[in-house]
Amino acid sequence: QVQLQESGPGLVKPSGTLSLTCAVSGGSISSSNWWSWVRQPPGKGLEWIGEIYHSGSTNYNPSLKSRVTISVDKSKNQFSLKLSSVTAADTAVYYCARFIVATFWNWFDPWGQGTLVTVSS
Amino acid sequence: SSELTQDPAVSVALGQTVRITCQGDSLRSYYASWYQQKPGQAPVLVIYGKNNRPSGIPDRFSGSSSGNTASLTITGAQAEDEADYYCNSRDSSGNHLFGGGTKLTVL
């Protein structure tokens, strides 16, 4: 059973870079799935950030694309998120999730437990 | 429109049936998936595809779709079903979309 676990600093200074890692256990990151980051500001809804395939192919939310980099480390079975030039608006719980693609439908499962990142000086 | 629209809040009496809807143009091309999120917890997949439930999800949860609207139905709502529910799909560019979420209250 695949499990995901986010890790990284819980506090980032404004204008700095947010860096998170998602460790994948119970399965291979080289399987035929995409690996995603989703965030949720306090009291608000879910926002997709981007995704990566084990080949290194990426897709990003157009609204964040200029600041986002997602990478994969197959040797460590993990993938990472970097979000640059952060502001208070980037304060959120950040989730990693596996995205499964079938012919006419697709879904996120499982999700990591999430990690709160606060942007503050 | 590249958005998914959900009612912000819905309530249901204990044991009754409730339908949570999600509207968006992308739903004409892609099935929605549905996620349940309880306070302080990560989202959990409850419905995907035409009407598929992951292992461990009670059969009182079901999904349907017609035109630009996807629906999540809970038949015989239980107190533990009180949560936020989010729909998800993709737009024509392949970007992922989430609805704004529906807060379900079980009375």
Side-chain angles (χ1 to χ4, degrees):
Chain A
Q1 181 176 348
V2 172
Q3 293 183 314
L4 306 178
Q5 179 67 59
E6 306 90 348
S7 62
L11 181 63
V12 181
K13 294 187 186 303
S15 77
T17 297
L18 178 159
S19 297
L20 297 174
T21 295
C22 180
V24 179
S25 60
S28 173
I29 203 166
S30 295
S31 59
S32 300
N33 301 299
W34 289 77
W35 304 92
S36 286
W37 289 98
V38 177
R39 71 180 182 179
Q40 185 173 37
K44 297 186 178 181
L46 301 170
E47 179 182 33
W48 174 69
I49 299 170
E51 63 187 358
I52 191 165
Y53 198 67
H54 61 78
S55 63
S57 295
T58 54
N59 295 304
Y60 298 133
N61 185 325
S63 68
L64 298 170
K65 187 174 183 177
S66 64
R67 299 194 291 131
V68 174
T69 301
I70 297 176
S71 59
V72 65
D73 186 336
K74 290 185 283 187
S75 67
K76 294 184 178 178
N77 217 38
Q78 64 186 33
F79 62 107
S80 299
L81 168 70
K82 290 188 184 298
L83 181 66
S84 63
S85 304
V86 296
T87 69
D90 295 309
T91 294
V93 175
Y94 286 76
Y95 296 99
C96 57
R98 179 179 62 175
F99 183 66
I100 300 171
V101 179
T103 305
F104 294 108
W105 54 76
N106 37 62
W107 61 96
F108 291 98
D109 184 63
W111 296 62
Q113 67 183 27
T115 186
L116 175 63
V117 179
T118 301
V119 178
S120 175
S121 55
Chain B
S1 162
S2 59
E3 294 181 344
L4 296 176
T5 302
Q6 297 182 241
D7 291 328
V10 171
S11 62
V12 60
L14 184 67
Q16 296 304 299
T17 296
V18 63
R19 176 174 292 180
I20 298 170
T21 61
C22 174
Q23 289 188 304
D25 289 342
S26 64
L27 298 175
R28 298 184 186 277
S29 303
Y30 295 98
Y31 285 105
S33 54
W34 290 91
Y35 303 86
Q36 176 193 69
Q37 186 180 36
K38 296 181 179 179
Q41 297 184 19
V44 172
L45 176 72
V46 293
I47 290 289
Y48 66 96
K50 195 170 185 179
N51 181 17
N52 301 293
R53 283 176 290 105
S55 174
I57 300 302
D59 61 5
R60 62 179 179 271
F61 289 87
S62 63
S64 62
S65 183
S66 178
N68 73 335
T69 301
S71 301
L72 172 69
T73 300
I74 307 174
T75 304
Q78 302 299 302
E80 60 264 32
D81 299 334
E82 186 162 289
D84 294 329
Y85 290 86
Y86 293 91
C87 61
N88 163 255
S89 183
R90 309 190 80 157
D91 67 14
S92 57
S93 299
N95 300 309
H96 297 276
L97 302 172
F98 285 98
T102 297
K103 182 177 181 61
L104 176 65
T105 300
V106 180
L107 304 171

